[in-house]
Amino acid sequence: MQPTMNESELSDVASGLASQDGTLAWVGMEDIALPVRLTGQPLNASVSAGVSLDAADARGIHMSRLYLALDALEHQEVTLSRVSTVLQRFLDSHDDLSSTAFLDLSGDVLIKRPALISPRSGWKAYPFTLRCRQDAYGMQATLEITIGYSSTCPCSAALARQSIQQAFDEDFTDMPISHDAVRTWLGSEQGILATPHSQRSQAHLSLRLVDGLDTLPIEALIDNVENALGTALQTAVKRVDEQAFALANGQNLMFCEDAARRVQHALRGDANVRGFKARIVHAESLHAHDAVAHTEWHWTPA
């Protein structure tokens, strides 16, 4: 039978001195599984937790202390005050080693979305990461979100219209034009001889949140951007919804530059945001490469 030792008798190698001096910007753990809640929904989150190692001669940090401090978030709604409390516990448990604490929390927030016309609805997943840093000056929070939408190319729309015009000229050269004849022609395959190409697109956002927030305004932020773009991806649909979606795409023709400017204006007017970076990606259906636009805004106080 192996002898049992109490905890005070067990050696703690990490508390020793480093063989070489040197401070480290971040030490901790990644991909910690943690059940939390966000927008009232359960979320299987992935957490990265760490602190700076400012004591140049210290061998290492106490990672178990970081892990145990995360219990305060378990099954709780993710709020910035709760995250700040956890980060302060990181620092309090490393008061002789660290001056800065970090916590990143990632997952997919689920939001139920109604169809455009019909009474149907379905769930959409929005990947996000909340990145928080706390030091003697307080906590800074950055929220990263990916929002999918549809984009129809203005150039291909113009070329499609031109092809339809040419087909109309050819088909009606030697025949009288009447309302019924044109209406029948528009409803035939000849009337949609060419169609513009669309692509599933994404807005990758990194948002610096204003000070003083507690509850994450993630749904309001998503709504703001989706409303600005006008062509949010759909869930459960009927044909009437598909028709409405086609109409929305036709009324919101966008190059990636157009989408970036829409996002830019929407976020600059958002009271929850004090700075942002946005990367807009249109996954081309014409080309094997993607079209990309970047925009950013660094808030400065008046």
Side-chain angles (χ1 to χ4, degrees):
M1 183 174 179
Q2 296 292 329
T4 302
M5 303 180 68
N6 63 50
E7 189 169 349
S8 63
E9 297 174 319
L10 298 174
S11 60
D12 184 4
V13 177
S15 65
L17 298 178
S19 58
Q20 290 182 312
D21 289 353
T23 61
L24 299 174
W26 190 99
V27 183
M29 297 162 286
E30 294 182 341
D31 298 325
I32 302 169
L34 184 68
V36 297
R37 298 184 71 84
L38 189 63
T39 65
Q41 300 294 328
L43 172 70
N44 295 324
S46 176
V47 173
S48 295
V51 292
S52 60
L53 182 53
D54 304 317
D57 60 346
R59 180 78 178 272
I61 69 164
H62 307 284
M63 294 198 184
S64 62
R65 298 177 186 177
L66 305 183
Y67 190 94
L68 294 174
L70 294 175
D71 287 348
L73 296 176
E74 186 175 331
H75 299 301
Q76 300 297 313
E77 181 74 16
V78 176
T79 63
L80 294 179
S81 60
R82 284 196 175 103
V83 172
S84 180
T85 298
V86 170
L87 288 171
Q88 190 58 50
R89 289 181 183 176
F90 288 1
L91 293 174
D92 291 344
S93 63
H94 292 79
D95 58 349
D96 56 339
L97 299 176
S98 308
S99 62
T100 309
F102 306 88
L103 190 149
D104 295 350
L105 188 147
S106 301
D108 289 343
V109 60
L110 290 172
I111 301 176
K112 197 163 192 179
R113 294 302 203 188
L116 292 172
I117 303 294
S118 75
R120 292 187 176 180
S121 62
W123 293 93
K124 286 177 65 177
Y126 297 87
F128 80 96
T129 297
L130 175 65
R131 301 190 187 277
C132 296
R133 166 194 172 114
Q134 187 155 310
D135 55 22
Y137 299 99
M139 188 178 79
Q140 295 180 354
T142 300
L143 181 62
E144 299 176 357
I145 314 173
T146 296
I147 300 175
Y149 62 100
S150 176
S151 61
T152 299
C153 174
C155 182
S156 67
L159 293 172
R161 290 193 300 268
Q162 186 178 37
S163 296
I164 293 170
Q165 284 179 321
Q166 291 171 348
F168 179 87
D169 290 339
E170 293 172 3
D171 290 350
F172 285 87
T173 298
D174 300 318
M175 63 180 295
I177 297 178
S178 67
H179 176 274
D180 288 342
V182 173
R183 188 177 188 281
T184 299
W185 184 86
L186 288 173
S188 68
E189 291 187 0
Q190 288 79 8
I192 53 169
L193 183 68
T195 59
H197 68 82
S198 299
Q199 49 263 323
R200 185 183 297 175
S201 305
Q202 291 183 326
H204 301 278
L205 311 177
S206 179
L207 311 173
R208 172 70 190 281
L209 301 178
V210 297
D211 297 332
L213 283 178
D214 189 22
T215 301
L216 289 175
I218 191 165
E219 189 166 353
L221 289 165
I222 292 170
D223 288 344
N224 186 16
V225 172
E226 287 190 338
N227 290 336
L229 292 168
T231 51
L233 298 179
Q234 300 298 297
T235 56
V237 297
K238 300 184 73 172
R239 281 179 294 176
V240 65
D241 302 309
E242 287 197 57
Q243 185 181 53
F245 188 66
L247 183 62
N249 272 269
Q251 294 177 339
N252 289 280
L253 304 176
M254 289 182 286
F255 292 123
C256 63
E257 298 94 329
D258 299 315
R261 291 187 179 103
R262 290 191 183 197
V263 170
Q264 180 187 77
H265 282 275
L267 293 177
R268 290 197 66 163
D270 197 308
N272 295 309
V273 176
R274 65 177 297 179
F276 64 82
K277 293 182 180 180
R279 177 172 170 263
I280 306 301
V281 180
H282 285 188
E284 291 270 6
S285 59
L286 172 64
H287 303 291
H289 54 264
D290 297 338
V292 180
H294 291 249
T295 181
E296 58 185 70
W297 173 55
H298 300 286
W299 178 86
T300 54

